[in-house]
Amino acid sequence: MAVTLQDIRLVYPGAGGGEVTVLDLPHLVVGDAERLCVVGPSGSGKTSLLHIIAGIVRPTAGKVLHGDVDIAALAESDRDRFRARHIGYVFQTLNLLPALTSTENVALALTLAGESKRTATRRAVALLERMGLGHRLDARPDTLSTGEQQRVAVARAVVKEPALVLADEPTAALDDGAAASALEVLREAVDLAGSALVIVTHDARARGIATRTLALEAA
Amino acid sequence: MTALGLILRNLRLRRLSSVLTSVGVALGVMLVCAILLLRADLERHYLGPQEGYSLVVGAPGSALQLVLNTIYHVDQSPGLIPVSVWRELDAHPSTRLAVPYAVGDAFRGFRVVATTEAFFDPRFPHPAAKTTAGKFAAGGPFAVNPAELGAALDAVAAGRTAESENPGHAVVGHDVARTLGIRVGDRIEPTHGVGSEQAHEHEQLWEVVGVLRATGTPIDRVVLISLDSFYRIPDHAGGAVVPGSGEPGLSAVVLTPKAGMHKTVLLTTLNKRPDIQVASADREIRRLLGIVGRVDRLFLWVAVLVVLIAIMSVLVSVYATMRGRRREIATLRAIGAPRSLVFRVVAGEALLLVVAGALAGVVLGHGLVAVSSGAVEQAAGFSPDALGFLWEEAAVLLTVTLAGAAAGAIPALEAYRTDVARALNPGGTT
Ligand SMILES: Nc1ncnc2c1ncn2[C@@H]1O[C@H](COP(=O)(O)OP(=O)(O)OP(=O)(O)O)[C@@H](O)[C@H]1O
Ligand SMILES: [Mg+2]
């Protein structure tokens, strides 16, 4: 299910009453199982782009086609549901839910996608074990190392085998060593799930796992 | 994972603050329930037994005191009235039943009332029964021998103590029999003076001839003895006479008028006399409850205020954690949770804290009543029932639940409105 962006514009009201164009993308396609790396200076609209693809933010103009569904044209609750089923998200900061264990954090993504609790737990455990976290299944995020936390976050994004995984600077919170292995984990996980990947990063190594790079310019 | 799963895990994460906010609600609800329970029991205790009693005739003084002493066996008797008043009332054409009371003795913590077989008349309200036999759990009534009574009264009037070969007869209330393990045929030896264990002992024994049925009224806690035997208690030679006249005295006469105008006739004629007073049991008790009611309404309002403050504190605490959880909420939304789930999670958290606190409060309220029942019995003469459940408590639970839902809705609405993009990308607006 390829993602096609057509004539995307994102405009925010500026400070002095004018407008600030954050994004202006005439055309972008992310093919099945493609891995796109998005780079650009701070403020160039990288996060905004991911939000638009995920349906968290509606563009001011343009179409965001997932297959032939224009997510920008859907009502909010439909966008939520679409996201729950078809899009995995890895955040810049470590955004695991602090009250839940590793397994619960991962399983939550599946139950939100409509999976039964039992199946969700079984699949979450299987994936975490496969990712080398079998010994931290019942640990809560505050007892995990940052590297482990990011691996759980990756597991949460890919566990439902979504068509698309979005990653917003997934290595920003990690030290060098952890960052390198996190990228590798992400690549493997995305491969395994058969998902396309859009990764926003400043990390030069990320280009190594990408099949293509898109450079955004400062607004 | 359902909303409930998320709620429970969030509460578990902040265990201590969750418990503390809940405890606030629990304490408030505990107070409300305890006050409601005590109030209900107070009313049951004081309004129940006076049904059927009509007029109480006694020495001049406080009408309320007379009623409390005669019917509830608390407080002191206001004084003595001549035995002749009883004879006169007994013969009065408006009287249906006149029951004499001579009080002031106690038997191992239970008050002793000297009376006649009129007490066991089916027309006397407690224990309610169609026949005299129906009033008894075991044994039967005693009857006063008029000759013996006359002799005893003459002796008291002359400053002596009459002798008799017959032992006095006693009938004990249900609680007395149960607490002291008394059965028909036992002999008991009352001591003089209410509540005092060390007072002189009368050198007399009373034979227990009957045990009354349980009534749930103060009569359960009374020892009845025959009036003639009362005047044969040696200590009473000087103490059982009306000061001044030297005539043998009674504490009170409980009077049931005939139907119709007769109550008014008795009230008006008797109220003219300076040596006695007539009190209407019903009126006195309602007046007392009116005064008590004003006080306990005040307590109740204070307790309600405590509950309100506690619910406010739940709101504040959930609101505070919610603000700190913006990103968490945005994360939930970003991985596909709908707004409604976020609302339910936050509102449910407040609701659960309040409801758990309220339920614990009801249990604690009953516990408080159970624990304090001894003290209440000492102070107010009745032992509250900690196990009964009042419909008011259900109303309290419902109201508190609704208030909890309302309190939860405020932070939940804030969570519902969270701007996901902004919360996920806090630097994005600069
Ligand atoms: N909700 C918003 N309202 C107004 N302006 C916004 C909003 N969100 C983002 N912007 C603006 O859009 C521009 C792009 O922001 P965005 O966060 O997408 O950049 P970025 O490339 O992800 O930057 P960084 O590398 O720092 O993460 C910024 O100039 C930002 O100020
Ligand atoms: Mg960004």
Side-chain angles (χ1 to χ4, degrees):
Chain A
M1 189 167 69
V3 181
T4 311
L5 274 63
Q6 289 173 1
D7 303 316
I8 293 297
R9 270 167 50 80
L10 179 64
V11 178
Y12 283 116
E19 293 185 331
V20 180
T21 303
V22 172
L23 269 179
D24 192 350
L25 271 181
H27 190 71
L28 175 67
V29 177
V30 182
D32 290 342
E34 189 179 358
R35 292 192 295 276
L36 175 68
C37 179
V38 179
V39 296
S42 183
S44 57
K46 305 182 295 293
T47 298
S48 300
L49 175 63
L50 293 190
H51 283 173
I52 287 171
I53 297 175
I56 293 170
V57 168
R58 260 182 168 152
T60 314
K63 286 187 174 173
V64 184
L65 296 165
H66 289 260
D68 47 15
V69 177
D70 181 6
I71 196 173
L74 296 179
E76 183 184 66
S77 57
D78 294 326
R79 280 184 276 140
D80 290 339
R81 200 168 310 128
F82 189 91
R83 194 157 60 242
R85 288 179 197 279
H86 303 297
I87 300 174
Y89 214 120
V90 185
F91 305 89
Q92 172 171 7
T93 47
L94 302 164
N95 279 10
L96 295 176
L97 297 177
L100 306 190
T101 64
S102 306
T103 306
E104 289 166 344
N105 260 291
V106 175
L108 179 61
L110 284 169
T111 45
L112 286 173
E115 207 54 83
S116 76
K117 194 179 165 202
R118 181 195 296 225
T119 314
T121 305
R122 187 170 45 73
R123 283 176 61 184
V125 168
L127 179 61
L128 285 167
E129 278 171 349
R130 197 169 179 141
M131 290 174 70
L133 286 165
H135 59 301
R136 308 312 314 263
L137 294 176
D138 296 323
R140 279 212 296 261
D142 59 352
T143 66
L144 297 173
S145 74
T146 44
E148 285 170 332
Q149 286 184 53
Q150 200 59 312
R151 259 189 287 165
V152 175
V154 169
R156 181 174 66 183
V158 301
V159 69
K160 61 196 174 195
E161 299 177 356
L164 179 65
V165 172
L166 304 173
D168 194 349
E169 308 206 29
T171 59
L174 305 180
D175 63 39
D176 247 24
S181 75
L183 285 170
E184 198 45 41
V185 164
L186 180 61
R187 195 191 59 78
E188 270 176 26
V190 168
D191 259 3
L192 191 73
S195 316
L197 172 70
V198 177
I199 177 170
V200 163
T201 184
H202 289 117
D203 191 332
R205 280 169 301 194
R207 299 189 189 217
I209 69 162
T211 52
R212 190 155 66 97
T213 299
L214 169 72
L216 292 180
E217 274 150 37
Chain B
M1 188 171 312
T2 55
L4 186 64
L6 287 170
I7 290 167
L8 292 176
R9 283 165 182 80
N10 282 333
L11 291 175
R12 192 181 57 190
L13 186 68
R14 283 177 295 279
R15 236 173 266 115
L16 186 64
S17 77
S18 303
V19 168
L20 289 179
T21 41
S22 249
V23 163
V25 177
L27 291 178
V29 171
M30 171 185 86
L31 285 180
V32 170
C33 284
I35 291 170
L36 287 174
L37 283 170
L38 288 176
R39 191 164 80 156
D41 274 331
L42 184 81
E43 281 188 9
R44 191 162 47 228
H45 177 76
Y46 279 100
L47 280 182
Q50 60 84 32
E51 276 166 26
Y53 291 102
S54 187
L55 301 176
V56 181
V57 180
S62 156
L64 180 59
Q65 190 187 351
L66 176 64
V67 169
L68 285 178
N69 182 253
T70 308
I71 297 179
Y72 301 96
H73 311 290
V74 291
D75 210 341
Q76 300 292 316
S77 163
L80 295 175
I81 56 171
V83 171
S84 58
V85 172
W86 163 50
R87 302 237 192 254
E88 186 189 325
L89 291 173
D90 199 28
H92 197 284
S94 292
T95 299
R96 198 161 164 230
L97 188 68
V99 181
Y101 275 55
V103 304
D105 290 277
F107 174 61
R108 290 170 66 184
F110 294 101
R111 299 224 181 186
V112 174
V113 174
T115 186
T116 66
E117 59 273 20
F119 197 102
F120 309 112
D121 190 297
R123 290 172 295 183
F124 193 72
H126 298 290
K130 287 209 173 61
T131 62
T132 296
K135 292 174 179 263
F136 287 84
F142 55 67
V144 169
N145 178 330
E148 296 238 27
L149 178 60
L153 288 172
D154 289 345
V156 170
R160 291 183 290 106
T161 303
E163 305 275 336
S164 169
E165 307 90 75
N166 306 321
H169 286 159
V171 165
V172 297
H174 184 264
D175 287 358
V176 180
R178 202 193 45 197
T179 312
L180 302 180
I182 290 175
R183 292 162 184 223
V184 171
D186 286 354
R187 287 181 179 241
I188 58 176
E189 185 181 21
T191 55
H192 189 78
V194 171
S196 59
E197 295 287 335
Q198 294 300 336
H200 330 261
E201 293 193 358
H202 306 303
E203 287 131 19
Q204 266 168 303
L205 288 177
W206 275 257
E207 184 188 340
V208 176
V209 297
V211 175
L212 292 175
R213 234 168 22 81
T215 63
T217 73
I219 282 176
D220 293 353
R221 306 181 51 78
V222 162
V223 176
L224 300 167
I225 61 172
S226 54
L227 193 60
D228 55 325
S229 66
F230 174 82
Y231 292 109
R232 286 197 299 272
I233 298 172
D235 293 358
H236 291 174
V241 296
V242 182
S245 75
E247 210 187 319
L250 280 173
S251 309
V253 176
V254 174
L255 203 55
T256 311
K258 288 181 179 157
M261 291 292 294
H262 294 284
K263 183 170 181 178
T264 322
V265 171
L266 281 169
L267 267 172
T268 41
T269 46
L270 295 178
N271 266 332
K272 286 192 194 119
R273 294 175 54 164
D275 56 333
I276 57 174
Q277 68 160 328
V278 196
S280 161
D282 184 72
R283 212 183 49 220
E284 294 306 319
I285 292 312
R286 284 186 191 279
R287 199 157 68 193
L288 171 69
L289 288 182
I291 298 164
V292 174
R294 243 170 287 154
V295 177
D296 69 30
R297 223 167 6 250
L298 189 71
F299 281 134
L300 195 59
W301 279 116
V302 172
V304 166
L305 211 64
V306 172
V307 174
L308 280 181
I309 292 169
I311 291 173
M312 280 297 289
S313 80
V314 170
L315 191 166
V316 168
S317 116
V318 172
Y319 196 86
T321 68
M322 213 284 304
R323 303 226 97 175
R325 279 192 287 162
R326 286 221 111 91
R327 213 180 64 199
E328 205 182 310
I329 287 160
T331 303
L332 255 178
R333 296 290 316 283
I335 65 174
R339 276 187 202 272
S340 60
L341 179 70
V342 165
F343 182 92
R344 277 181 289 148
V345 167
V346 176
E349 204 175 307
L351 187 62
L352 207 67
L353 287 174
V354 170
V355 169
L359 287 174
V362 170
V363 173
L364 287 174
H366 284 259
L368 185 65
V369 169
V371 166
S372 62
S373 79
V376 171
E377 185 162 353
Q378 285 284 315
F382 70 97
S383 123
D385 173 17
L387 292 177
F389 193 82
L390 306 170
W391 70 265
E392 284 104 324
E393 292 179 83
V396 167
L397 275 179
L398 187 69
T399 313
V400 169
T401 302
L402 290 177
I410 293 168
L413 216 57
E414 180 108 355
Y416 181 88
R417 289 213 204 97
T418 301
D419 181 339
V420 180
R422 220 175 263 217
L424 283 177
N425 193 22
T429 50
T430 54

